[in-house]
Amino acid sequence: MVDWGENMKYFFAVLSVVFVLLFAMVGYTYFSGEYAPEGSAVLTEPRAHVQLITQNSNEHFWSTFKRGALDAGKEENIYVEFADISAKDPELIAETAEQAVYSAVDGLALQAADEERTANVLLMAEKAQIPVLTFESDLFPTTDVPTVGSNSYDAGYSLGQMAIQACGGRATAAILVESVLENAPSSSRNLKVQGIMDALSDAPQIEVTQVYPVDVERFEVEKCTSQILEERPEVDLILCTGETSTPGVAQVLVDANRVGDICVIGYGAMPQTLDYIERGVIYGSVCPDAYQIGYQSVKQLCRMLDGETVSNSSNTGMYTVTKENLEQFRKETAQQNLD
């Protein structure tokens, strides 16, 4: 005799498994099509695949750079991939670029970190007929290779001009320089500092007492700022040339209850920096247009892929942000997030 009760239980059990499997398949199809893996832009049948070698950093520059690159990729129907590395290490950048060439990407963009290894990578890409450009690489200019980005000398000059405006042309200054690579050529090692000094030459009553190299990875910013407060009481102006060091200097002044005693000119647009400008701890900041650097890097690669001739140097300019135009700057950058 057939046990219909047991058969019905078995039937509903099988049916439940089938529904679960169907739901899982539908869910997978939906989510895999809607969500991109981190570090890439998902498009339907993109016409090309380009890779940008970037830093795995919490700096505002890199997050904004990536957003601009992804927006350009969507406009051009280009698959944009980011190869994040932990540091600006010449060997690591070269190895990552070589892997991209071996993977036969359609286009490549990187930030040059030396001369010899970068030149070898560029030659390898040329032999493979892969368009390549550099961005934010004025420390290591490469002949006949397009570059996109800001100019370090111009950034320094803008810092100096802002300093003159902030202190009325009279101050005793110290400059904090974030450490650059040891193998950087001496002629370009201090482009920002040179720009600062040239700008300050128009204000002879601003005296620069010392230039302090700092390594942000070793928390030297806080130590150096405290040293200035203790050993250089005459200093009433500090200029920062690095994005990461700027909020560190401001925080030391807050902790030491020295806000207002020392005018700070910063670099970059980290959220903390903008907050310190709003609070009057930092007078203002000079920052590269990171969104445009990422955006134009992909746009230039697209033109190269289409066989167009592009400019060897695309200068994306700088922002100068003070309390007066802070809200406008925030609105502009917020709009970039929405577009």
Side-chain angles (χ1 to χ4, degrees):
M1 182 175 181
V2 177
D3 188 344
W4 291 103
E6 289 298 322
N7 285 346
M8 289 300 290
K9 289 180 181 178
Y10 177 79
F11 172 77
F12 282 115
V14 172
L15 190 62
S16 298
V17 172
V18 171
F19 273 116
V20 169
L21 290 174
L22 286 173
F23 180 82
M25 292 174 64
V26 172
Y28 174 78
T29 302
Y30 176 79
F31 285 112
S32 63
E34 289 294 322
Y35 290 90
E38 186 175 355
S40 63
V42 167
L43 299 166
T44 303
E45 297 183 2
R47 65 186 180 95
H49 170 201
V50 301
Q51 185 179 97
L52 281 66
I53 300 177
T54 52
Q55 287 188 47
N56 182 18
S57 168
N58 63 355
E59 287 188 13
H60 180 265
F61 174 88
W62 290 110
S63 60
T64 309
F65 171 94
K66 291 176 181 179
R67 191 163 58 246
L70 290 175
D71 285 351
K74 291 176 183 177
E75 290 178 11
E76 297 287 348
N77 193 30
I78 295 290
Y79 182 92
V80 177
E81 179 186 12
F82 302 112
D84 275 349
I85 59 176
S86 58
K88 192 177 177 182
D89 180 278
E91 291 293 325
L92 191 54
I93 291 176
E95 290 172 5
T96 305
E98 288 169 2
Q99 291 173 7
V101 173
Y102 291 140
S103 300
V105 298
D106 297 305
L108 178 65
L110 68 153
Q111 187 176 23
D114 75 336
E115 293 176 336
E116 183 178 356
R117 289 301 302 271
T118 300
N120 291 338
V121 169
L122 296 176
L123 181 60
M124 181 185 299
E126 182 182 356
K127 289 181 178 179
Q129 297 183 325
I130 296 175
V132 61
L133 59 79
T134 62
F135 55 85
E136 287 292 271
S137 297
D138 59 1
L139 284 179
F140 300 98
T142 48
T143 306
D144 298 328
V145 175
T147 186
V148 176
S150 56
N151 181 282
S152 293
Y153 177 86
D154 291 345
Y157 199 88
S158 295
L159 285 165
Q161 287 182 317
M162 184 179 287
I164 295 173
Q165 176 184 354
C167 66
R170 182 191 297 270
T172 303
I175 302 174
L176 269 61
V177 182
E178 287 188 12
S179 299
V180 295
L181 296 167
E182 292 181 0
N183 63 341
S186 58
S187 60
S188 60
R189 188 183 295 266
N190 296 314
L191 284 174
K192 284 181 186 173
V193 175
Q194 186 61 54
I196 290 172
M197 299 305 291
D198 285 354
L200 295 184
S201 66
D202 293 332
Q205 291 183 307
I206 296 181
E207 178 189 2
V208 177
T209 60
Q210 192 166 345
V211 176
Y212 295 86
V214 293
D215 187 340
V216 295
E217 298 296 331
R218 298 179 181 178
F219 304 102
E220 292 180 354
V221 174
E222 292 78 5
K223 179 181 178 181
C224 182
T225 307
S226 297
Q227 180 183 347
I228 292 173
L229 296 182
E230 294 172 7
E231 301 177 4
R232 297 278 187 172
E234 73 277 12
V235 169
D236 54 6
L237 172 66
I238 296 178
L239 296 93
C240 305
T241 66
E243 177 174 294
T244 309
S245 60
T246 297
V249 171
Q251 187 59 53
V252 171
L253 295 182
V254 171
D255 294 342
N257 197 25
R258 295 292 303 276
V259 175
D261 295 340
I262 297 178
C263 179
V264 179
I265 308 298
Y267 184 83
M270 294 184 73
Q272 304 98 305
T273 297
L274 301 183
D275 289 343
Y276 281 129
I277 292 174
E278 184 175 24
R279 294 165 54 188
V281 181
I282 296 174
Y283 175 83
S285 184
V286 173
C287 52
D289 191 340
Y291 180 91
Q292 279 298 318
I293 295 171
Y295 184 86
Q296 291 300 330
S297 291
V298 173
K299 283 287 190 178
Q300 291 285 72
L301 280 176
C302 290
R303 296 186 184 102
M304 296 167 72
L305 287 168
D306 292 338
E308 299 180 23
T309 301
V310 300
S311 171
N312 269 7
S313 179
S314 178
N315 193 330
T316 51
M318 308 289 300
Y319 285 111
T320 54
V321 185
T322 63
K323 199 168 186 177
E324 283 69 29
N325 66 346
L326 176 61
E327 286 309 309
Q328 181 62 34
F329 176 78
R330 281 174 165 164
K331 288 179 182 178
E332 290 180 8
T333 52
Q335 187 60 45
Q336 289 173 350
N337 291 334
L338 297 174
D339 291 342

